Amino acid sequence: MIGERLCLDFANTAGWHNGDNPNEWLINYEKLLAWSRHAEILNTSQEKALLEKARRHSDQAEKALEEAIELREAIFRLFRSIATGKKTDTFDLAILNKYFTKANYFAEIIPRDGEFALTFQRGEDQLNCMLHPIVKSAIDLLLSGKLNRVKLCEGDPCGWLFFDSSRNKSRRWCTMADCGNRAKARRFYHRKK
Ligand SMILES: [Zn+2]
């Protein structure tokens, strides 16, 4: 979880996302559930309930996974365009808006800690319920006025996206241990050559 925003971490559920052969992590519905729990969108009992439902309705689980990947790719392309200063595609925005409408159907304002919060409790038995908070995260980020902090890792074709919260906007890599070190090693190699 290096994206610092839920929607960007979700976009990062494929490795080498900016290349010709991305490495898909969401290879089945169980993986989508496991990631959602890791991302704290679902708790253990919700994960278990959804898993049981998915076993009874494998066609619906298949559909939920397809939706997740459609949404993820739209989020990836939208924020990659933003990070690289390119024009966003209306097609991708249309996909996000489609899921935004679906999420809104389940959205609820509830009192919380003396204030109010937006939740999606009504839809938590739906197999695609983990998509709603992801959509909300993407919309929040799009409207945040901080799009200049959305970045694409410079380690090509890593393709991971992150929100740069460093004070002087100096973050360049998904992680220093991964792409950062690879870039350093490459510079060292070229110098030696
Ligand atoms: Zn990277």
Side-chain angles (χ1 to χ4, degrees):
M1 307 296 277
I2 57 91
E4 298 205 17
R5 289 295 178 275
L6 177 63
C7 60
L8 301 181
D9 281 322
F10 186 58
N12 296 344
T13 55
W16 307 116
H17 213 165
N18 206 26
D20 294 331
N21 294 301
N23 184 11
E24 179 60 75
W25 292 359
L26 303 179
I27 50 170
N28 54 41
Y29 184 73
E30 287 75 6
K31 294 274 184 205
L32 175 62
L33 283 183
W35 181 84
S36 303
R37 201 174 60 72
H38 181 63
E40 297 177 352
I41 309 173
L42 301 175
N43 60 35
T44 319
S45 64
Q46 287 168 323
E47 182 189 16
K48 197 162 159 263
L50 288 170
L51 194 58
E52 276 164 20
K53 188 170 176 182
R55 291 203 173 120
R56 291 196 307 275
H57 305 279
S58 60
D59 51 329
Q60 283 179 37
E62 195 69 30
K63 171 108 193 306
L65 181 66
E66 272 171 32
E67 289 182 341
I69 289 180
E70 181 185 41
L71 174 65
R72 185 196 66 196
E73 290 306 296
I75 289 174
F76 170 66
R77 289 187 301 260
L78 275 174
F79 287 103
R80 180 181 59 182
S81 296
I82 289 165
T84 55
K86 297 199 177 85
K87 200 175 170 305
T88 53
D89 198 321
T90 51
F91 172 76
D92 293 325
L93 215 46
I95 293 174
L96 182 64
N97 275 321
K98 178 176 79 175
Y99 288 100
F100 185 39
T101 306
K102 288 186 189 205
N104 273 333
Y105 180 76
F106 295 103
E108 252 183 325
I109 301 291
I110 58 160
R112 181 184 287 166
D113 304 331
E115 296 190 8
F116 296 92
L118 179 67
T119 68
F120 300 95
Q121 286 171 325
R122 275 198 304 135
E124 66 185 19
D125 60 333
Q126 307 279 316
L127 289 178
N128 62 358
C129 66
M130 73 291 283
L131 303 184
H132 305 150
I134 296 169
V135 169
K136 182 182 179 295
S137 163
I139 303 279
D140 285 348
L141 184 53
L142 283 175
L143 301 180
S144 66
K146 292 179 181 165
L147 290 176
N148 58 353
R149 288 189 173 271
V150 174
K151 292 189 183 174
L152 182 73
C153 174
E154 289 182 23
D156 195 48
C158 168
W160 275 10
L161 291 160
F162 56 88
F163 184 86
D164 182 359
S165 53
S166 68
R167 200 140 52 102
N168 49 3
K169 294 186 201 154
S170 59
R171 185 173 163 194
R172 297 172 63 192
W173 319 106
C174 55
T175 63
M176 205 53 219
D178 197 346
C179 288
N181 273 344
R182 223 177 359 255
K184 256 203 302 202
R186 211 165 27 237
R187 273 198 304 276
F188 179 72
Y189 171 76
H190 284 302
R191 259 205 314 270
K192 252 173 66 174
K193 254 203 336 191

